[in-house]
Amino acid sequence: MAEYAVAMRNITKQFPRVLANDDVTFLVRPGEIHALVGENGAGKSTLMNILYGLLRPTSGTIAIYDKPVDFQGPGDAIANGIGMVHQHFMLIPPLTVAENVILGQEPSHRGIVDVTHANKMVRDLSEQYGLKVDPTVKVETLTVGIEQRVEIIKVLYRKAEILILDEPTAVLTPQEVDELFEILRSLQRQGKTIIIITHKLQEVMAVSDMVTVMRRGKYVGNVATKDTSKEELANMMVGRQVLLQVERGQAKPGKEVFRAEGLHAVNNKRLPVLHDVSLSVRAGEILGLAGVEGNGQSELVEVLAGLRKAEKGRVYLDEQEITNLSPRVIKEHGMGHIPEDRHRRGLILDYSVAKNLILGLHHRIPFVKKVLGIEVMNFPQIHQTADKLVEEFDIRPPDRENLAGNLSGGNQQKVVVAREFNHNPRLLLAAQPTRGVDVGSIEFIHRRLIQARDEGKAVLLISADLEEILSLSDRIAVIYEGKIVGILSPKEATEERLGLMMTGGGQ
């Protein structure tokens, strides 16, 4: 047997302005579940994209099962038994499971695609690896957890012996995570080698055999999971001690700041997506909203922020009705909004950090001033505010003139968070505030949310991360198929109970 299934030695990848991988060595033994962890911008995805043939290294060597390889593209990686399941699934919704799996490698009989044979092959793979997927159903009818199984079957169909999974649990419920881990263990028992890229250290500890840590493009260390801890891994990733659960005192809720009554809304296809949603948040309180993605929470946030019309119902902020007002007017009433998609809703990537930090108030004093009766940008004030926020929120690199698009995901999120906090809102709408953010930035953002609560702000936290919901919330509401199916105190809530409610399993 080969000593290593994957041996990447002295890998360097130099982009025009960024050294993404700096002399990295990454070794994976056959049959391991091997976790690759690190902060945003640590170089994990670049390294795995090199392994999958999407990128070529500037220097260094790769061997697969002790055989030197030089991949010119993903086709070469696939031919050498490597498959990759990307964080954002690459499935075609109107096609069936089997049609998605065989796409590009269709079995045929006399020049015609043999659908019956394709269905049988996919069903056999599904049963062999415990994946439990019907090959004849359309992908558009599947849950996210089942879609992920289809992606795994796709790489197994192409005879992958080494599977790379990028953030595989990002959108799964706790029950789906448990099912995925059992699938990974089943694959391991049948001889597969698995590499998972993740930032969820609890899951690293639960499923992996070995862990490789990267920091700022460099290899930091390689440890057996049984010989380490979440705390040690976090310290290796960040280079300092990290609090994995932010300390917080007892909430002291005051008067009601925000109230939604009987909200109904439709999605972009004009289909009903919110059904009689009612919520309230008090000053000095974090209300967490838990739910599997796609159950109406995105549309709810858009309705509250003025980005989508409510068909019925009312929204109040400090007893003033703000239903269906424009986003600018709602912001001026005292609502801050950390959007779930920082690229589409939170930033203008071609603008500087300084300009992004004043968006939303860019038209108001002190960021504009009158010169000869004409309103112009007050750049000294803009720069002063930007420099203060860059330092206070530890935005890296600390350059206000840097374009937002040049920052790592974690630092882009810090720009959004800094701006919304600086607006001093009475209600902070925080949607997926730590999505795609590394452990150090998560700690920082959690601290700021607790600080906002303790300063008397009302916080509505919408997150698909149950660990985040449980560690920050003073009350927890659960949304399922566009309805609020229950509101629990933290004492009543467990991951298992919330996971059941999130999938319609009762209260």
Side-chain angles (χ1 to χ4, degrees):
M1 180 182 284
E3 183 178 8
Y4 294 110
V6 174
M8 305 179 76
R9 291 186 167 92
N10 309 110
I11 298 294
T12 294
K13 179 60 180 177
Q14 177 74 62
F15 292 104
R17 295 182 62 184
V18 177
L19 182 60
N21 291 154
D22 184 2
D23 194 34
V24 175
T25 291
F26 179 64
L27 306 173
V28 181
R29 296 186 185 278
E32 279 183 346
I33 299 180
H34 196 117
L36 179 61
V37 302
E39 293 190 278
N40 291 110
K44 310 183 298 296
S45 294
T46 299
L47 189 69
M48 290 301 96
N49 285 336
I50 289 171
L51 178 58
Y52 192 55
L54 290 166
L55 296 171
R56 288 179 57 77
T58 305
S59 61
T61 64
I62 304 174
I64 302 301
Y65 294 109
D66 295 349
K67 182 185 84 171
V69 295
D70 180 19
F71 296 155
Q72 302 297 311
D76 292 344
I78 292 166
N80 279 270
I82 299 172
M84 189 166 185
V85 178
H86 298 272
Q87 182 176 355
H88 302 290
F89 302 151
M90 298 183 179
L91 300 173
I92 301 173
L95 299 185
T96 68
V97 167
E99 288 165 344
N100 270 280
V101 169
I102 66 172
L103 198 60
Q105 292 191 14
E106 297 88 348
S108 62
H109 180 66
R110 295 180 180 176
I112 299 172
V113 174
D114 190 338
V115 176
T116 302
H117 185 47
N119 286 340
K120 182 180 185 305
M121 287 194 295
V122 172
R123 186 173 279 110
D124 289 347
L125 277 173
S126 171
E127 291 174 359
Q128 179 182 348
Y129 294 104
L131 289 158
K132 301 175 186 173
V133 176
D134 182 347
T136 65
V137 301
K138 290 189 175 183
V139 163
E140 62 192 4
T141 67
L142 302 179
T143 66
V144 174
I146 302 298
E147 284 185 20
Q148 187 176 62
R149 296 182 187 189
V150 177
E151 288 282 15
I152 293 172
I153 292 172
K154 272 174 62 179
V155 299
L156 293 173
Y157 174 76
R158 287 157 179 77
K159 301 190 175 357
E161 292 296 321
I162 300 165
L163 282 72
I164 306 165
L165 287 82
D166 189 0
E167 297 288 355
T169 66
V171 293
L172 303 184
T173 66
Q175 287 82 357
E176 288 171 328
V177 170
D178 290 341
E179 290 167 3
L180 172 65
F181 287 175
E182 189 48 52
I183 289 166
L184 296 184
R185 293 185 189 104
S186 172
L187 291 166
Q188 182 184 32
R189 286 192 294 270
Q190 299 187 54
K192 305 299 183 187
T193 301
I194 299 162
I195 300 167
I196 57 172
I197 309 169
T198 183
H199 69 271
K200 296 185 178 181
L201 296 182
Q202 180 178 346
E203 295 171 2
V204 170
M205 300 302 297
V207 77
S208 68
D209 304 304
M210 297 292 297
V211 188
T212 293
V213 182
M214 293 181 66
R215 184 168 74 240
R216 297 188 181 182
K218 294 178 181 286
Y219 166 86
V220 174
N222 176 269
V223 293
T225 309
K226 65 181 175 60
D227 296 331
T228 189
S229 65
K230 290 192 297 181
E231 291 74 18
E232 182 182 357
L233 291 174
N235 294 352
M236 291 171 70
M237 288 164 61
V238 180
R240 61 173 175 82
Q241 188 172 359
V242 177
L243 288 176
L244 296 178
Q245 185 151 348
V246 176
E247 295 177 7
R248 64 190 187 101
Q250 189 70 29
K252 299 175 182 175
K255 69 167 188 171
E256 182 181 270
V257 171
F258 160 81
R259 184 171 75 257
E261 296 178 348
L263 289 179
H264 292 255
V266 296
N267 62 17
N268 293 339
K269 296 179 180 179
R270 301 296 301 168
L271 297 173
V273 69
L274 293 181
H275 309 278
D276 197 27
V277 170
S278 296
L279 290 170
S280 68
V281 191
R282 294 170 290 178
E285 174 187 55
I286 297 177
L287 174 68
L289 181 65
V292 178
E293 289 194 52
N295 275 272
Q297 52 270 64
S298 296
E299 290 84 358
L300 175 60
V301 170
E302 290 174 352
V303 167
L304 300 182
L307 297 165
R308 181 181 299 272
K309 295 293 184 187
E311 302 294 311
K312 285 172 61 179
R314 298 281 184 268
V315 182
Y316 298 91
L317 187 55
D318 280 334
E319 295 301 334
Q320 288 187 288
E321 187 176 349
I322 58 169
T323 317
N324 292 339
L325 298 181
S326 72
R328 175 180 286 190
V329 173
I330 289 174
K331 180 176 285 290
E332 289 176 348
H333 273 77
M335 182 185 292
H337 177 207
I338 299 171
E340 65 178 66
D341 187 336
R342 55 181 167 262
H343 288 176
R344 285 184 61 234
R345 301 287 197 198
L347 297 166
I348 300 177
L349 297 178
D350 292 332
Y351 276 19
S352 68
V353 168
K355 288 181 178 177
N356 274 284
L357 284 168
I358 64 159
L359 283 178
L361 296 182
H362 56 281
H363 59 291
R364 296 180 59 183
I365 296 171
F367 302 123
V368 293
K369 62 182 180 181
K370 286 196 174 181
V371 176
L372 300 176
I374 300 171
E375 284 192 346
V376 297
M377 303 299 290
N378 185 356
F379 285 106
Q381 181 62 51
I382 293 169
H383 294 162
Q384 180 183 335
T385 299
D387 289 340
K388 176 179 79 75
L389 293 175
V390 163
E391 180 179 0
E392 181 182 347
F393 285 81
D394 191 28
I395 297 166
R396 302 180 195 174
D399 176 6
R400 67 169 184 249
E401 297 306 322
N402 200 1
L403 297 184
N406 292 337
L407 303 183
S408 71
N411 283 290
Q412 289 178 349
Q413 192 72 357
K414 284 183 180 180
V415 172
V416 176
V417 171
R419 179 185 66 226
E420 298 307 310
F421 274 78
N422 191 54
H423 291 174
N424 195 30
R426 293 193 294 282
L427 170 72
L428 180 63
L429 193 58
Q432 316 294 350
T434 59
R435 169 173 286 161
V437 168
D438 55 62
V439 66
S441 296
I442 288 171
E443 177 200 31
F444 182 85
I445 292 169
H446 284 182
R447 282 182 185 275
R448 298 304 302 221
L449 290 171
I450 294 294
Q451 182 182 332
R453 180 201 76 167
D454 292 344
E455 290 173 353
K457 294 177 171 57
V459 180
L460 178 56
L461 169 67
I462 300 94
S463 178
D465 185 340
L466 281 190
E467 194 175 346
E468 181 168 70
I469 289 282
L470 286 164
S471 66
L472 296 180
S473 304
D474 302 303
R475 290 186 300 135
I476 301 170
V478 180
I479 189 168
Y480 173 67
E481 293 188 344
K483 299 175 183 176
I484 302 299
V485 294
I487 298 180
L488 307 175
S489 71
K491 290 180 181 178
E492 299 173 297
T494 63
E495 284 204 12
E496 292 72 23
R497 184 174 181 185
L498 289 174
L500 278 172
M501 293 172 68
M502 287 162 59
T503 52
Q507 295 186 40

